[in-house]
């Protein structure tokens, strides 16, 4: 394998770690309404589990409310049951037309818990980036035994380190943005 192959693989893994972090942080409630809060909730739809967005229109009329308009009247009970049974911790209000979720303001203690949870997700992403760097460097060291020159290997290691630093910075930025979002009252 060439140095470029190791770099590409490491970059791909690091990119995936940042994407995973983005996704994980999107599901952490920061006191603002977001349709992505419902992504993990599945409803029973004709015998199979489907995301709420597949059986209803999900909108955010204001910063503290999520409105869910089921496409079929029969889905009201299913959607309500799925929300109540989820770990969202919000009780749905149903007026026969729309299911509303009122997002309560976060307490200071809850904000600190969410920041801690976000930090743990960021740390997981950092571990993935470090693992990608380690794998790439180990691969390059094996290539020396197969005839690659040490200079080329050292240059490859330096490139891997640059990638590592770039993605670590990106993870810190994503976490800082989420932390600010959570702590903003």
């Amino acid at each position: 394998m060439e140095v470029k192959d190791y770099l590409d693989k490491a970059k791909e893994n690091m990119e995936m770690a940042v994407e995973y972090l983005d996704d994980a942080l999107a599901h952490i409630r920061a006191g603002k309404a977001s349709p992505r809060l419902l992504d993990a909730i599945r409803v029973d739809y004709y015998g199979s589990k489907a995301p709420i967005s597949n059986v209803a229109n999900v909108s955010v009329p204001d910063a503290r409310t999520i409105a869910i308009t089921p496409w079929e009247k029969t889905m009201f009970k299913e959607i309500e049951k799925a929300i109540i049974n989820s770990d969202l911790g919000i009780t749905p209000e149903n007026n026969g037309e729309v299911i509303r979720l009122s997002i309560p303001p976060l307490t200071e203690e809850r904000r600190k818990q969410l920041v801690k949870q976000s930090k743990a997700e960021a740390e997981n992403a950092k571990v993935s980036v470090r693992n990608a760097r380690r794998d790439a460097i180990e691969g390059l060291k094996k290539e020396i035994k197969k005839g690659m020159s040490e200079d080329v290997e050292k240059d490859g290691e330096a490139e891997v380190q640059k990638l590592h630093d770039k993605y670590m910075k990106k993870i810190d930025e994503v976490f800082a943005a989420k932390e600010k979002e959570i702590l903003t009252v």
Side-chain angles (χ1 to χ4, degrees):
M1 281 175 70
E2 299 269 327
V3 173
K4 184 180 181 327
D5 295 333
Y6 287 107
L7 289 174
D8 289 346
K9 179 87 173 118
K11 183 175 183 173
E12 181 184 330
N13 289 342
M14 291 176 188
E15 192 65 47
M16 284 175 21
V18 173
E19 286 173 19
Y20 170 80
L21 177 64
D22 269 339
D23 190 52
L25 293 183
H27 293 94
I28 294 177
R29 187 163 59 102
K32 290 190 193 86
S34 165
R36 292 193 69 184
L37 291 174
L38 305 175
D39 284 356
I41 301 174
R42 300 281 184 255
V43 293
D44 192 30
Y45 186 63
Y46 297 110
S48 66
K49 295 287 184 188
I52 290 178
S53 59
N54 286 13
V55 297
N57 183 33
V58 180
S59 60
V60 182
D62 62 61
R64 295 246 182 248
T65 310
I66 298 175
I68 304 165
T69 312
W71 295 324
E72 299 173 25
K73 295 280 186 207
T74 57
M75 291 308 297
F76 272 102
K77 290 273 180 260
E78 291 295 331
I79 292 172
E80 282 188 313
K81 190 167 77 174
I83 292 170
I84 290 169
N85 292 338
S86 74
D87 60 358
L88 199 58
I90 298 172
T91 305
E93 301 164 21
N94 175 356
N95 68 3
E97 296 289 317
V98 178
I99 298 171
R100 292 191 189 286
L101 300 177
S102 296
I103 310 294
L106 298 171
T107 63
E108 189 63 33
E109 185 179 317
R110 182 71 178 133
R111 287 178 196 281
K112 287 178 181 167
Q113 283 177 335
L114 292 175
V115 167
K116 201 177 281 185
Q117 185 182 347
S118 299
K119 190 168 185 66
E121 292 292 352
E123 202 49 52
N124 287 342
K126 285 182 174 185
V127 167
S128 296
V129 169
R130 288 185 199 113
N131 288 342
R133 175 186 62 181
R134 184 198 62 223
D135 293 346
I137 289 174
E138 283 175 1
L140 289 169
K141 288 195 186 302
K142 286 179 185 164
E143 290 298 317
I144 289 179
K145 293 181 178 112
K146 296 178 186 172
M148 180 190 283
S149 76
E150 285 190 26
D151 289 346
V152 172
E153 187 268 342
K154 287 289 179 213
D155 292 345
E157 266 188 48
E159 285 299 313
V160 169
Q161 186 61 43
K162 281 182 195 166
L163 274 177
H164 169 270
D165 296 345
K166 173 184 159 189
Y167 283 99
M168 287 300 218
K169 186 174 184 233
K170 209 179 257 191
I171 288 169
D172 287 337
E173 289 166 1
V174 168
F175 169 69
K178 185 66 177 184
E179 182 180 34
K180 184 178 179 214
E181 181 186 344
I182 291 170
L183 295 176
T184 301
V185 180

